[in-house]
Amino acid sequence: QFLYFIGECRLGSFDPTKLCSAPLCTFHFAEMGKKKGDGPQIICRMTQSAWRTHQQVPTYYVAAKGRKGFFATLNDAINFAEPYSRIEVTSGKYFENVIVNKPIEIGTNANEDVMAEIYSRGITFTFQTAEAHVEGLKIRTADSKSVGIVVEMGAPRIIRCDVDSIEVNGSANPSIEDNKIHNSKLHGLYVLDNAGGLYRANTIENHPGFGIVVESDGAPKFTHNKVALGEMGQVLVKGNAAAVNPVNPVFMFNSMRDEVADKNDKQQYSGASALAKLKELPLKKTGDPVHLLPHVIPRGRLMDLDNDDADRTDESLLVDQRAALVVRAGANPTVVQNTVSGGCANGILIHLGGLGEFAQNKVVGNKGFGIC
């Protein structure tokens, strides 16, 4: 009883079959009959869960440099801990490909102000569980063809992390909130296949490609995100040839702002130059319904590009390459009360075959057209 009250137990030999179970974890040492010095000792404390409200859970610890009672790697801690335990990671750099394959919560040690940093040469964090909670970690990949986090299934929560890139695929339905997603090797956030989920209050910026790429018919919802400084644009919504339904994400209360200033900006994207180049593009009457409800548009015009033009990179289309929001064929987004501003090209670009509902957005200060 006394051991349980102080909330700490020391287990005997490192054996995943002998798990620390709340609320009996503090009795486990006595049951095993182990004595100090019999083998590696793992510290387990009962602490308040950051995930499960008003619950205390068994908590294990990870340290980058050897520390008595702590695991040396996240994977060792995950494999040892029972479901719904907590793992706290001390600050430092960790080099491993982490597989989260059980419901568990992981975060930086509550007593430290500096985030633990997790790196790898491939995918750094892979979620293969119905639910999990990860908070307050810095997660990055050194591989130009990989991403920092991949969510393959379930509904994990990823909050307040510093990440280079995230891919959500399959039928995953995560909550990705209040993260800083920046400086990836290509795009910041990918939502693919049939994935859904909630993406809220993230700062997504400084990507060589787009900040957000949506190619899923799972109706993901994006709200209160700040998306900026994508070199190809801020948001791309494109059709999925394998999808049964149109790609139909919802964007509400987001800021999509292009503030990139490069050495060619004045030549390529000055107002007069942008208008001249847009006049060279073929104008067609739309054959598909595009519903445009009231917007604030300083100069707007509806224009469709044929499919051959959609991926051209010649100089006449440079003004389209960095549109803040690009809607391609097979996409049918709902875009409501967003701010699309400061673009060095067009605000919203809708390709031939692109659909959608656009309502009450503020589209201002873009050097090309507001909507085309």
Side-chain angles (χ1 to χ4, degrees):
Q1 294 291 340
F2 176 72
L3 284 174
Y4 175 67
F5 175 75
I6 65 172
E8 178 174 335
C9 64
R10 291 182 176 270
L11 305 185
S13 301
F14 175 59
D15 183 350
T17 65
K18 297 174 180 176
L19 299 176
C20 178
S21 176
L24 301 178
C25 71
T26 51
F27 300 101
H28 200 72
F29 174 77
E31 290 171 3
M32 292 194 309
K34 298 292 183 180
K35 296 179 180 179
K36 187 174 181 180
D38 281 356
Q41 308 224 330
I42 302 302
I43 294 175
C44 170
R45 292 188 174 97
M46 298 298 293
T47 68
Q48 182 64 46
S49 172
W51 177 22
R52 300 168 70 80
T53 306
H54 306 305
Q55 291 191 31
Q56 288 200 332
V57 294
T59 302
Y60 302 90
Y61 301 88
V62 180
K65 297 180 180 179
R67 186 169 171 180
K68 187 176 180 180
F70 286 43
F71 291 95
T73 70
L74 265 168
N75 280 321
D76 283 346
I78 292 169
N79 291 336
F80 184 85
E82 66 178 344
Y84 301 104
S85 298
R86 176 172 173 81
I87 296 171
E88 291 194 359
V89 189
T90 60
S91 60
K93 293 185 177 180
Y94 300 80
F95 298 90
E96 57 179 313
N97 302 97
V98 179
I99 306 296
V100 182
N101 55 11
K102 64 178 67 170
I104 204 161
E105 62 180 273
I106 304 171
T108 296
N109 189 289
N111 297 321
E112 303 197 20
D113 296 328
V114 180
M115 284 184 174
E117 302 177 24
I118 322 296
Y119 296 88
S120 78
R121 295 190 179 278
I123 300 169
T124 304
F125 253 78
T126 302
F127 288 87
Q128 299 175 343
T129 179
E131 55 181 344
H133 175 100
V134 172
E135 178 178 359
L137 299 178
K138 184 174 183 179
I139 302 171
R140 309 193 77 77
T141 178
D143 187 348
S144 61
K145 296 182 179 180
S146 290
V147 294
I149 295 175
V150 171
V151 182
E152 295 183 352
M153 61 177 291
R157 295 184 67 201
I158 302 169
I159 62 174
R160 290 187 284 279
C161 289
D162 183 318
V163 189
D164 54 0
S165 51
I166 301 176
E167 177 184 313
V168 182
N169 59 41
S171 57
N173 194 39
S175 294
I176 296 178
E177 304 180 52
D178 200 20
N179 300 283
K180 186 174 183 181
I181 305 171
H182 64 105
N183 296 99
S184 70
K185 303 299 189 294
L186 185 56
H187 307 306
L189 173 60
Y190 306 73
V191 184
L192 310 175
D193 303 328
N194 310 114
L198 173 66
Y199 307 84
R200 186 182 69 83
N202 300 287
T203 298
I204 305 171
E205 60 186 10
N206 287 310
H207 298 285
F210 288 88
I212 298 174
V213 175
V214 183
E215 196 176 352
S216 165
D217 63 354
K221 295 177 176 60
F222 302 84
T223 180
H224 295 93
N225 299 286
K226 177 185 176 183
V227 191
L229 306 179
E231 293 183 16
M232 293 178 65
Q234 309 318 313
V235 179
L236 171 63
V237 185
K238 57 185 296 189
N240 180 350
V244 176
N245 302 307
V247 173
N248 57 348
V250 175
F251 293 90
M252 295 185 68
F253 310 114
N254 301 284
S255 170
M256 306 174 193
R257 182 173 179 84
D258 188 351
E259 300 169 336
V260 175
D262 59 43
K263 63 182 180 180
N264 298 316
D265 185 63
K266 291 182 180 179
Q267 290 75 29
Q268 292 180 358
Y269 303 115
S270 66
S273 175
L275 287 171
K277 288 174 181 175
L278 283 169
K279 288 178 181 178
E280 298 174 9
L281 301 176
L283 296 176
K284 299 181 180 180
K285 292 183 179 179
T286 182
D288 297 302
V290 177
H291 305 291
L292 301 175
L293 299 180
H295 294 71
V296 179
I297 305 172
R299 45 181 180 173
R301 188 175 183 183
L302 180 63
M303 179 177 66
D304 284 318
L305 302 177
D306 61 38
N307 290 331
D308 291 333
D309 287 330
D311 295 310
R312 285 172 57 193
T313 57
D314 59 80
E315 186 174 326
S316 67
L317 287 176
L318 283 176
V319 72
D320 298 317
Q321 187 177 11
R322 286 232 295 261
L325 172 60
V326 179
V327 180
R328 292 193 177 176
N332 186 22
T334 298
V335 183
V336 178
Q337 293 188 339
N338 302 276
T339 299
V340 181
S341 63
C344 59
N346 300 308
I348 300 174
L349 172 62
I350 305 168
H351 287 283
L352 181 65
L355 306 175
E357 183 172 336
F358 303 80
Q360 300 175 357
N361 299 288
K362 184 177 181 181
V363 187
V364 295
N366 300 286
K367 294 185 179 179
F369 293 116
I371 298 179
C372 72

